[in-house]
Amino acid sequence: MKQFATWNVNSLSIRLPQVLDWLAAHPVDALVLQETKLTDDKFPTADFGAAGWQVQWFGQKTYNGVALISREPATDIVKNIPGFADEQARVIAGTVGGVRVIGGYFPNGQAPGSDKFAYKMGWLDALRGWVGGQMQAHEQLVLMGDYNIAPEDRDVYDPVAWAGQIHCTPEERAQFRQLVELGLTDAFRLFEQPAKSWSWWDYRNLAFRRNQGLRIDHILVSAALKARVTACEIDRLPRKNERPSDHAPVVVTIDR
DNA sequence: ATGTCGAAGGGGCTTCGA
């Protein structure tokens, strides 16, 4: 059995104890983190090492930042999208146990029509081009992270209020579908899931208590892995911690 | 209340991003 997971931690400095606790309880083969918000010199390599984890990291000051935590060392590390000039640290990829693991912190996009929305679209175009090539080279591949896209209305607590808003625009949803059309599958939707399954709840408005959220953190798997996926779940438990991230981890389980 | 959280700059608060 293999397990891969993704978690936007919204500052690894704040969330490090929770991440180590979670890893102890969920010894996955690989976990990708988003929004570490750490420069590379500040990454807590020793803390992960002491707990028996291998780490690859790629960060910047204040914003963004990604990491790849794994049991076995990851090889063929790639940081950000090759050929796409980007000031922002958003992608880390490595091969773990024969599986190509790609972790991404997709741009938020702020609002349709904004400069940040245009950046999001360009970033997604570049990602798709690169991931397509990665799929040619790696039969077993997972693309996971904070996509900042709710793919369908059933991924939104109030689809009427959110219609056309950021995370829910037709352009973003088309981008998600185009990633799927590369030959990837949304592992979460391979299974019957509880209605109102979200991976993110705003800190404001008691959104978690009211279960008002979005499903914007995803794990897409290649065809070779799809045939072996036995489960995919959102772990809401860390969202109940005293100082939680606004996102919950998502985990996929693969047979053998 | 655009209602919270986290980082940064700078030394108490505001501003930015999400």
Side-chain angles (χ1 to χ4, degrees):
Chain A
M1 186 192 72
K2 284 190 161 108
Q3 289 190 308
F4 301 99
T6 176
W7 193 4
N8 179 324
V9 292
N10 185 22
S11 168
L12 185 56
S13 298
I14 299 290
R15 234 65 68 187
L16 179 62
Q18 293 184 38
V19 173
L20 291 171
D21 285 352
W22 191 88
L23 281 169
H26 304 84
V28 294
D29 294 84
L31 167 67
V32 289
L33 302 177
Q34 300 90 40
E35 288 203 86
T36 54
K37 298 185 176 178
L38 288 172
T39 49
D40 287 344
D41 57 303
K42 299 236 173 63
F43 197 88
T45 48
D47 298 273
F48 285 105
W53 295 97
Q54 305 282 331
V55 190
Q56 297 287 338
W57 63 95
F58 179 45
Q60 67 181 91
K61 194 175 179 183
T62 311
Y63 303 120
N64 310 311
V66 288
L68 168 56
I69 319 294
S70 56
R71 278 229 161 279
E72 303 301 320
T75 59
D76 299 302
I77 303 302
V78 170
K79 298 171 182 179
N80 268 358
I81 305 164
F84 181 76
D86 198 348
E87 299 294 307
Q88 307 182 24
R90 296 189 172 276
V91 174
I92 191 155
T95 301
V96 180
V99 177
R100 191 64 171 160
V101 176
I102 304 174
Y105 176 47
F106 294 34
N108 175 289
Q110 196 176 50
S114 67
D115 289 350
K116 289 176 183 173
F117 190 84
Y119 165 72
K120 182 175 195 171
M121 291 298 123
W123 188 93
L124 284 159
D125 288 341
L127 179 78
R128 186 172 67 253
W130 174 63
V131 168
Q134 289 284 288
M135 290 174 66
Q136 302 304 311
H138 306 277
E139 197 170 53
Q140 302 183 78
L141 180 147
V142 291
L143 173 63
M144 53 186 177
D146 176 359
Y147 282 55
N148 273 312
I149 300 172
E152 300 176 52
D153 278 356
R154 61 176 166 166
D155 301 310
V156 182
Y157 75 94
D158 187 347
V160 173
W162 280 79
Q165 302 296 309
I166 197 63
H167 309 312
C168 303
T169 63
E171 294 94 328
E172 292 165 279
R173 288 178 168 178
Q175 288 278 4
F176 187 89
R177 283 196 300 276
Q178 288 175 74
L179 283 170
V180 168
E181 283 161 11
L182 291 176
L184 296 167
T185 300
D186 181 350
F188 189 76
R189 293 300 183 199
L190 284 173
F191 304 94
E192 211 167 302
Q193 301 285 0
K196 306 181 192 304
S197 287
W198 324 126
S199 66
W200 171 85
W201 302 259
D202 201 302
Y203 283 123
R204 296 168 287 191
N205 309 319
L206 303 173
F208 183 69
R209 274 176 45 144
R210 295 173 172 161
N211 197 32
Q212 298 180 338
L214 308 177
R215 191 176 71 95
I216 55 177
D217 300 85
H218 307 294
I219 301 180
L220 302 194
V221 297
S222 62
L225 290 183
K226 178 192 175 186
R228 295 164 46 201
V229 173
T230 57
C232 183
E233 287 166 350
I234 299 169
D235 181 6
R236 298 164 53 104
L237 218 56
R239 191 62 175 78
K240 300 179 180 179
N241 285 336
E242 200 171 319
R243 275 181 96 181
S245 168
D246 44 353
H247 294 254
V250 187
V251 187
V252 68
T253 306
I254 290 159
D255 198 14
R256 280 176 294 146

